């Protein structure tokens, strides 16, 4: 089963690389451009379909089987501010046009595809083999490495290095929260709104909102560290 998961993961990386290179070198649309997510939509659609179908076929083998009730409190600390800023971004940018709809759809597909691949499938697979803390760290490392491909999308080495660090920490948070809440759909919504905020440029238009997200990032790091510490004391907890 792990071999199939690794093959799927490799395919995910290859499709991402092709899409980023195509947008950058053929369409001359770089990763940071406002229109990037719209141009990247066909590749996102392919990724979303592939990982969703794979999970549907393997959901019994990948379903979390960790005991305990879902816990939402720590997750809600950053989730509520992100929903608030994301909601403002959507309302502020709303217009009946593809210019509004395509970025909204594209970032939604990013949330679905990445949470399905790196939390539902990859983390779910790791939990069958490794203790919980090791599984979270490994999935965060692979999630971080995905963003190294942004170099093909026109990002500089410094920008990619910063993204690798940030996405590793975010990956720890998302992995811990998936196990804590046992709810992938909340993570998809969180991921979707975060990316939409980033690509909507709302923080440049309403600068007071820019204060909120750094605080949220600090929350994420603190929460991730707390959860890893908790799981490190329970090394035998894993998905059976």
């Amino acid at each position: 089963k792990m071999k199939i998961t690794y093959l799927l993961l490799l395919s995910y990386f290859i499709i991402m690389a092709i899409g980023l290179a195509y947008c950058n070198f053929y369409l001359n649309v770089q990763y940071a451009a406002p229109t990037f997510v719209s141009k990247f939509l066909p590749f996102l659609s392919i990724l979303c379909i592939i990982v969703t179908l794979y999970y549907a076929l393997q959901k019994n083998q990948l379903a979390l089987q960790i005991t305990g009730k879902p816990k939402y409190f720590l997750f809600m600390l950053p989730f509520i501010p992100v929903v608030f800023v994301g909601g403002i971004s959507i309302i502020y940018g709303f217009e009946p046009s593809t210019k509004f709809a395509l970025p909204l759809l594209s970032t939604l597909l990013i949330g679905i595809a990445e949470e399905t691949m790196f939390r539902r499938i990859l983390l779910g697979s790791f939990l069958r083999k490794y203790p919980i803390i090791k599984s979270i760290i490994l999935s965060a490392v692979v999630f971080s490495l995905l963003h190294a491909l942004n170099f093909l999308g026109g990002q500089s080495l410094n920008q990619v290095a910063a993204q690798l660090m940030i996405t590793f920490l975010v990956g720890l948070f998302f992995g811990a929260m998936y196990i804590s809440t046992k709810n992938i759909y909340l993570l998809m919504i969180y991921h979707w709104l975060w990316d939409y905020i980033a690509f909507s440029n709302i923080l440049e238009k309403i600068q007071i909102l820019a204060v909120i997200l750094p605080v949220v990032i600090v929350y994420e790091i603190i929460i991730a560290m707390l959860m890893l510490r908790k799981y490190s004391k329970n090394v035998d907890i894993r998905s059976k």
Side-chain angles (χ1 to χ4, degrees), residues 42-199:
F43 299 95
L44 289 173
S45 300
I46 293 170
L47 290 171
C48 199
I49 291 169
I50 289 174
V51 297
T52 300
L53 286 177
Y54 180 81
Y55 180 78
L57 293 172
Q58 301 293 331
K59 61 182 179 181
N60 291 333
Q61 287 72 34
L62 296 172
L64 287 178
Q65 296 179 0
I66 297 174
T67 58
K69 294 181 179 180
K71 297 178 181 178
Y72 294 97
F73 176 73
L74 289 177
F75 177 69
M76 287 299 158
L77 290 175
F79 181 73
I80 291 173
V82 168
V83 170
F84 173 72
V85 177
I88 292 177
S89 302
I90 293 172
I91 294 170
Y92 187 89
F94 175 78
E95 59 180 73
S97 68
T98 56
K99 182 181 178 182
F100 167 76
L102 288 180
L104 198 65
L105 175 61
S106 298
T107 49
L108 174 60
L109 292 181
I110 292 173
I112 294 172
E114 292 192 356
E115 291 310 308
T116 302
M117 180 70 250
F118 294 97
R119 255 61 69 177
R120 261 187 163 177
I121 296 174
L122 190 62
L123 178 56
S125 297
F126 284 151
L127 285 167
R128 300 280 169 164
K129 188 174 182 180
Y130 305 116
I132 195 168
I133 188 169
K134 184 176 181 178
S135 298
I136 292 173
I137 292 172
L138 285 175
S139 64
V141 168
V142 180
F143 178 62
S144 174
L145 290 175
L146 175 73
H147 294 79
L149 296 177
N150 289 342
F151 180 74
L152 295 174
Q155 296 283 277
S156 69
L157 289 177
N158 288 339
Q159 288 172 321
V160 170
Q163 288 173 349
L164 288 175
M165 180 181 68
I166 293 171
T167 52
F168 172 70
L169 295 172
V170 169
L172 294 177
F173 168 76
F174 273 87
M177 289 301 96
Y178 178 43
I179 292 168
S180 178
T181 64
K182 302 177 176 65
N183 190 323
I184 196 66
Y185 301 106
L186 285 177
L187 291 177
M188 288 177 179
I189 292 170
Y190 188 104
H191 197 145
W192 164 44
L193 292 176
W194 185 278
D195 284 348
Y196 182 74
I197 292 166
F199 283 105

Side-chain angles (χ1 to χ4, degrees), residues 20 23-24 27-37 153-155 199:
L20 287 163
C23 289
N24 183 27
L27 300 181
N28 199 30
V29 177
Q30 295 187 338
Y31 177 82
T35 58
F36 171 78
V37 287
Q155 296 283 277
F199 283 105

Side-chain angles (χ1 to χ4, degrees), residues 3-41:
K3 289 182 179 179
I4 299 176
T5 299
Y6 291 147
L7 181 61
L8 176 68
L9 183 64
L10 177 61
S11 300
Y12 195 104
F13 271 68
I14 291 173
I15 294 170
M16 279 288 294
I18 292 172
L20 287 163
Y22 174 79
C23 289
N24 183 27
F25 299 113
Y26 184 75
L27 300 181
N28 199 30
V29 177
Q30 295 187 338
Y31 177 82
T35 58
F36 171 78
V37 287
S38 299
K39 300 298 183 182
F40 199 64
L41 181 59

